[in-house]
Amino acid sequence: MIEVNGLRKRFGPQLALDGMTFKVEPGKVTGFVGPNGAGKSTTMRVVLGLDAADEGTTLVDGQRYRQLRQPLCVLGSLLDASALQPSRTARDHLLWMAHSQGLTGKRVDAVLGQTGLTGVAKRRAGGFSLGMRQRLGIASALLGDPRAVMLDEPFNGMDPEGIVWVRGLLRSLAADGRAVLVSSHLMSELEDVADHVIIVGRGKVIADTSVKDLLTSASGGRVNVRSQDVAAALAALPEGEPTGPSTLTVTGMTAEAVVARLNGHGVPFSEVSAHRASLEDAYMDLTREAVEYRGVSS
Amino acid sequence: MMRQLRAEWTKFRTVRGWVTGMALAGGFIIAFGLFPGMQGTCTDNKCKLPTGPQGHLVTDRFEFAGQTLDGDGSLTVNVTSMTGELPPGPNAEQPRQGLTPWAKAGLIIKDGTKAGSPYAAIMLTGSHGVRLQHNYLYDQAGAGAASWLRLTRAGDAITGEQSADGTHWTKVGTVVLKGLPTKVQAGLFATSPQHSEASALLSSSGPSSVTATFRQVSQQGSWSGQLEETELTGSGDIGPLVSGSSGLGVSVTQALAGTFLGLVFAIVIGTTYVTSEYRRGLMRTTFSATPRRGRVLAAKAIVAGGATFVTGLVAATVAVVFGQKMLRDNGVFVHPVTTATEVRVIVGTAALLALCTVFGVAIGVLLRRSALAVTIGVTGIVLPYILAMSVLPDGAGRWLLSISPAAAFAIQQSAVEYAHVANNYIPTEGFFPLSPWLGFAVLAAWTAVAVGLAAVVISRRDA
């Protein structure tokens, strides 16, 4: 479990964190979403004790990160996949991290296998593509078999196959009961992965909600109707609003109720479907303010 | 802490550049030691020198007019004149009239005429007044001007006295020559050492001579014969052998002439070992693995410093042991030193390299930028040494080698400096302004300050 309480941090004139507060629960994949500059990476650096916050605290498994004796065995993290010594091999990179936690080469070989890097373990990390670096970064996050995992933009530079792999990995980590925090500036990357999302903007949390609730609220109980006779359909459904030459949307009714009403009035229709909002839609709604702010400042 | 050390060692050994750099550092030290490019004429024992009572190599060459003294007795003389000839100076071609400061003329009591045997002597000198010297290493000054000298033997004790008029005598001192036989050689002597002059960039040296006139010789005790009034002209010295331009040959330090190049590598390795992590953001990974940053700094310093220490130890041992042999095979006279000195020079060289690496680590943390950190490290440590060894006038060179981190090169000094032996005691001849450990302490202090600052900065700064 990762707890972030009231973080404030100022970089010169700019307020990077403005009361950032949230919890990352075990057994779930929590998406950490917000536009660039919203404070995601800064928050993660503060959690890792790399940056000092002006105010507020962070706890990992109830302890401050700086007090952990084997931190990589409590919280595995990936901040920057390119943070590598180019002339060091992938295996040696993981090996020094293992040694720093009192772990052995066995654990290194295990995570190399888990991330599909066994074949390139003896190659210099400097020659790796961004996708391979992401895998190596994820391997280093998993090295200590930690109870919590925190990944900053792990999908960056990954090919579709890699993205599918990361999604599967994140789900299995959560299924093992780990707390998983994954940041992204693209909500779509977290579709089908995140159980919970924390949406941030301007250094604070805008929404902290389960994905299910977010989708329901974004869908707003709307039903789409497609019919040859829109006028008749509207007559049968005075709540509806036309959305095209042969479509309309009804708010506040279930799809079943809409079908019953249309049948009762003998209105022909070719489709009645409950509207499913994408996470992207919900996210755009929620972050509009932050995006506008960004537009003004840049 | 063991985990951090192990992790840092894994980091260090897995970057080829650092391992190669380390090998090159050692390689250059060895190469300079084994291929000295120095030639001499001391082949086949041609430079075999006498050994004094304390086991030091000595010079024992003087003009002597003496008799055997049996048992206790004394000898008094009036040295009425001392004149001499000096070699041509740096800008002259003809020998000049004059006395070199340590030209000597006076009385001597000696255990036989064998070179290197125990002695005591009282003398007038070119410009150091009256001196009472014995057994090569020991020297004490008289007080005021005098032309009358007296040497008295009572058992093992020999007393020197001086007088301006032959009537009023002042005791200069009494020295004890343990186990002095009953019969000794005693008489008048004159000798004048190698004369050297150093101007800003030129130094010259050459043999000098002294001519002394001895009058009113009087002997007390049982002598084998009468000593006549006479005039003696001598050239040579009675004293410990020194290395350098006024002495003979070189010191062991010569075999470690490549140290400065090794240092450049040590500093580059020390700084880039840290700055490369900052440059790539890897320091964040390091700190997330070890949130106690002081430990990270300590582990880095120990690992990089330790690696250079071991490399330096191997390289310096090879250079000193085999380099000396190469120099001797080339006919260069290398002053023998005690094992303790040799060990100090070798271990000191390794420690010098190690401290410079640690200094580099600290500067790397403070500056975080490779080019800047390397420049400052090299400028702070190696440059003062190179300047002092090449273009700087003696005074400025000595000053730089007293206060800059390069003062630690003194740890390599094996040549011994004697106040009563004239010589160019300058860094280029292997004589450093500070004593070995004091010089080393200067570097240690610089390093301690740098590491202290780095420790404060590394824990306070956002990574």
Side-chain angles (χ1 to χ4, degrees):
Chain A
M1 174 133 109
I2 304 169
E3 291 167 78
V4 173
N5 295 311
L7 294 188
R8 273 174 209 284
K9 184 165 180 70
R10 190 175 279 283
F11 289 115
Q14 202 188 339
L15 197 58
L17 297 179
D18 185 12
M20 182 74 78
T21 304
F22 61 86
K23 277 184 190 170
V24 182
E25 304 282 350
K28 289 181 188 170
V29 176
T30 302
F32 193 29
V33 197
N36 287 325
K40 302 188 297 290
S41 297
T42 308
T43 302
M44 290 185 165
R45 284 204 300 273
V46 172
V47 170
L48 292 171
L50 297 172
D51 283 10
D54 303 331
E55 267 179 56
T57 56
T58 61
L59 296 175
V60 183
D61 270 6
Q63 288 177 282
R64 289 180 180 238
Y65 190 86
R66 282 201 181 207
Q67 285 162 350
L68 298 173
R69 281 191 48 78
Q70 287 175 291
L72 301 189
C73 300
V74 179
L75 172 62
S77 61
L78 163 62
L79 287 192
D80 174 8
S82 293
L84 296 164
Q85 177 76 34
S87 58
R88 199 177 277 137
T89 66
R91 190 175 189 282
D92 287 336
H93 174 71
L94 294 171
L95 192 59
W96 76 253
M97 293 182 78
H99 288 162
S100 74
Q101 308 299 299
L103 304 171
T104 63
K106 263 190 196 164
R107 191 59 209 148
V108 170
D109 295 328
V111 292
L112 281 168
Q114 200 178 347
T115 50
L117 291 172
T118 307
V120 294
K122 301 232 162 121
R123 271 174 49 189
R124 294 175 174 213
F128 280 15
S129 68
L130 183 53
M132 283 160 83
R133 289 173 192 217
Q134 293 284 19
R135 281 175 187 261
L136 182 54
I138 291 167
S140 65
L142 301 179
L143 188 62
D145 195 13
R147 295 185 286 279
V149 176
M150 190 166 77
L151 308 174
D152 196 4
E153 305 272 1
F155 299 99
N156 266 6
M158 282 225 162
D159 54 21
E161 190 201 348
I163 291 173
V164 169
W165 171 75
V166 175
R167 285 180 174 169
L169 177 76
L170 294 177
R171 275 194 294 263
S172 74
L173 290 172
D176 290 347
R178 293 176 228 259
V180 181
L181 182 67
V182 188
S183 83
S184 175
H185 63 286
L186 296 174
M187 192 68 154
S188 57
E189 287 179 338
L190 298 173
E191 193 103 50
D192 303 331
V193 170
D195 306 299
H196 196 91
V197 284
I198 294 160
I199 298 172
V200 293
R202 297 205 222 175
K204 58 186 161 197
V205 174
I206 296 171
D208 184 344
T209 170
S210 76
V211 168
K212 207 173 135 200
D213 290 351
L214 182 64
L215 288 178
T216 308
S217 75
S219 304
R222 282 179 292 167
V223 176
N224 293 329
V225 178
R226 185 179 290 274
S227 170
Q228 302 298 334
D229 192 348
V230 175
L234 276 172
L237 296 162
E239 305 90 337
E241 276 180 29
T243 51
S246 60
T247 56
L248 65 147
T249 297
V250 186
T251 309
M253 290 174 76
T254 64
E256 290 76 12
V258 169
V259 170
R261 187 86 66 84
L262 290 171
N263 283 337
H265 288 77
V267 178
F269 62 92
S270 57
E271 181 192 339
V272 171
S273 61
H275 172 77
R276 238 183 88 82
S278 69
L279 269 179
E280 195 73 31
D281 297 337
Y283 169 64
M284 292 309 282
D285 281 353
L286 285 165
T287 57
R288 190 167 300 130
E289 189 193 1
V291 172
E292 278 164 8
Y293 162 78
R294 193 178 48 163
V296 169
S297 72
S298 59
Chain B
M1 190 64 199
M2 287 313 292
R3 288 174 187 166
Q4 279 76 52
L5 285 174
R6 182 137 189 246
E8 288 299 330
W9 169 241
T10 306
K11 272 187 200 173
F12 189 86
R13 69 177 170 78
T14 53
V15 171
R16 195 177 294 170
W18 296 331
V19 177
T20 312
M22 210 43 102
L24 283 175
F28 275 114
I29 293 172
I30 292 174
F32 269 68
L34 297 193
F35 306 103
M38 211 180 208
Q39 296 288 327
T41 53
C42 281
T43 47
D44 309 323
N45 279 342
K46 258 186 274 178
C47 299
K48 199 157 167 55
L49 288 151
T51 308
Q54 273 72 28
H56 293 67
L57 289 183
V58 298
T59 314
D60 195 5
R61 218 153 59 81
F62 54 97
E63 198 63 25
F64 182 57
Q67 294 288 343
T68 305
L69 169 63
D70 192 350
D72 295 346
S74 77
L75 183 60
T76 307
V77 76
N78 180 13
V79 183
T80 55
S81 83
M82 261 176 96
T83 57
E85 192 168 89
L86 297 174
N91 304 309
E93 283 173 11
Q94 290 299 312
R96 299 156 293 167
Q97 290 301 306
L99 285 173
T100 194
W102 282 105
K104 300 167 181 173
L107 306 171
I108 186 167
I109 288 179
K110 195 164 163 63
D111 176 7
T113 50
K114 187 171 163 285
S117 60
Y119 75 95
I122 187 156
M123 66 203 76
L124 298 181
T125 59
S127 57
H128 294 284
V130 178
R131 315 296 288 203
L132 176 67
Q133 298 186 344
H134 73 285
N135 287 358
Y136 308 93
L137 303 184
Y138 310 103
D139 167 62
Q140 63 190 98
S147 61
W148 290 80
L149 301 171
R150 179 181 290 156
L151 211 50
T152 308
R153 176 192 182 178
D156 285 354
I158 299 185
T159 302
E161 291 166 277
Q162 66 177 79
S163 170
D165 53 14
T167 315
H168 301 91
W169 287 89
T170 312
K171 183 174 155 185
V172 176
T174 299
V175 300
V176 174
L177 302 182
K178 273 213 169 124
L180 194 65
T182 318
K183 288 188 179 182
V184 292
Q185 289 294 310
L188 319 169
F189 82 98
T191 193
S192 185
Q194 196 85 351
H195 177 78
S196 54
E197 277 171 65
S199 57
L201 292 173
L202 288 169
S203 75
S204 71
S205 95
S208 69
S209 67
V210 62
T211 300
T213 312
F214 298 91
R215 296 281 179 257
Q216 291 163 278
V217 187
S218 80
Q219 296 155 277
Q220 311 260 301
S222 167
W223 292 80
S224 60
Q226 187 64 39
L227 283 164
E228 304 292 331
E229 292 191 339
T230 184
E231 194 166 87
L232 295 177
T233 298
S235 182
D237 201 9
I238 312 174
L241 186 72
V242 290
S243 61
S245 58
S246 295
L248 178 68
V250 297
S251 67
V252 173
T253 311
Q254 184 66 39
L256 291 168
T259 307
F260 77 95
L261 248 181
L263 273 190
V264 173
F265 281 90
I267 294 162
V268 170
I269 289 169
T271 49
T272 56
Y273 179 46
V274 172
T275 53
S276 70
E277 282 200 25
Y278 275 113
R279 192 167 107 211
R280 307 185 199 284
L282 194 56
M283 200 54 100
R284 294 206 183 101
T285 313
T286 299
F287 288 154
S288 45
T290 307
R292 293 175 198 191
R293 299 183 190 175
R295 288 190 176 193
V296 172
L297 175 63
K300 281 190 180 299
I302 291 170
V303 163
T308 358
F309 184 83
V310 172
T311 309
L313 201 61
V314 172
T317 307
V318 172
V320 166
V321 172
F322 296 99
Q324 276 190 82
K325 187 177 155 13
M326 298 298 290
L327 282 166
R328 291 201 173 105
D329 289 349
N330 279 358
V332 177
F333 182 81
V334 185
H335 277 248
V337 292
T338 59
T339 309
T341 303
E342 210 161 90
V343 168
R344 188 248 298 155
V345 167
I346 291 171
V347 176
T349 300
L352 164 67
L353 287 157
L355 267 194
C356 289
T357 312
V358 173
F359 189 75
V361 166
I363 291 202
V365 168
L366 289 172
L367 300 174
R368 289 186 283 184
R369 293 203 169 73
S370 308
L372 189 62
V374 166
T375 308
I376 290 196
V378 172
T379 322
I381 301 178
V382 183
L383 192 66
Y385 173 78
I386 292 176
L387 288 179
M389 287 298 180
S390 53
V391 298
L392 281 187
D394 185 44
R398 289 174 72 86
W399 180 76
L400 259 189
L401 290 179
S402 302
I403 60 148
S404 74
F409 275 95
I411 198 79
Q412 295 189 321
Q413 177 167 337
S414 60
V416 187
E417 204 170 324
Y418 295 98
H420 65 292
V421 181
N423 192 7
N424 282 336
Y425 293 118
I426 54 176
T428 39
E429 305 275 9
F431 295 94
F432 292 89
L434 299 183
S435 69
W437 292 109
L438 184 60
F440 191 74
V442 171
L443 173 63
W446 280 99
T447 309
V449 169
V451 170
L453 283 177
V456 171
V457 166
I458 203 173
S459 357
R460 295 210 178 153
R461 189 163 59 191
D462 280 352

